[in-house]
Amino acid sequence: MDRFDDWEAPEIEHGKLTRWNWMVQHPENLKLGVKTDIGAFTYINARYGVTLGDHVQIGSHCSIYSESTIDNKKGPVKIGRNARIGSHSLIMPGVEIGENSVIGAFSFVNRNIPADTLAYGVPVRIIRRI
């Protein structure tokens, strides 16, 4: 049995923790694929749109921003199908992460990552195709 056999879309309210202890601001702009897995204490700012493809895994304590008030950046974030984001990673506005890509833990993702790619670091660097 797959741990996602009984997967159901979560109930998400603006600024409130879900039952899995992650939070979304502006959930009306979040597109959540099926069987996505978002770790505890992850924060998603979807003001300008966040799309998580099917089977995406987000580790715990990640932050995904479609808006940054520090440097006035804004733009939709797209994470492709089957991509995995390591815990404590930060995804900046306007970034696209391709299908099947893996982002290592504690990464600062401020640029697009193509599909089928391993990347990590601060700032993120492409390591190799996978």
Side-chain angles (χ1 to χ4, degrees):
M1 178 174 165
D2 183 292
R3 72 183 182 121
F4 294 111
D5 283 347
D6 297 327
W7 188 91
E8 295 177 13
E11 291 183 28
I12 304 170
E13 293 182 60
H14 177 85
K16 293 187 176 180
L17 290 173
T18 65
R19 67 184 265 212
W20 297 278
N21 293 313
W22 46 271
M23 178 186 293
V24 179
Q25 287 188 310
H26 307 286
E28 67 277 9
N29 299 324
L30 173 67
K31 294 180 184 173
L32 192 64
V34 297
K35 297 187 177 182
T36 53
D37 182 18
I38 300 173
F41 309 110
T42 286
Y43 168 76
I44 300 172
N45 178 319
R47 183 172 187 169
Y48 293 96
V50 171
T51 301
L52 304 179
D54 296 345
H55 304 277
V56 163
Q57 289 184 297
I58 309 287
S60 67
H61 300 87
C62 291
S63 296
I64 301 172
Y65 292 98
S66 67
E67 175 184 41
S68 170
T69 57
I70 299 297
D71 52 10
N72 295 317
K73 291 183 178 176
K74 58 183 88 167
V77 173
K78 295 181 182 177
I79 300 178
R81 184 180 194 282
N82 203 40
R84 291 175 281 161
I85 310 299
S87 68
H88 295 267
S89 291
L90 172 66
I91 313 296
M92 291 300 285
V95 164
E96 292 188 25
I97 297 172
E99 291 186 1
N100 306 312
S101 289
V102 176
I103 304 298
F106 293 92
S107 293
F108 175 67
V109 185
N110 60 350
R111 57 183 278 202
N112 293 340
I113 304 298
D116 305 311
T117 299
L118 171 66
Y120 55 79
V122 179
V124 72
R125 292 181 309 122
I126 292 173
I127 304 303
R128 64 179 166 88
R129 302 263 307 160
I130 52 177

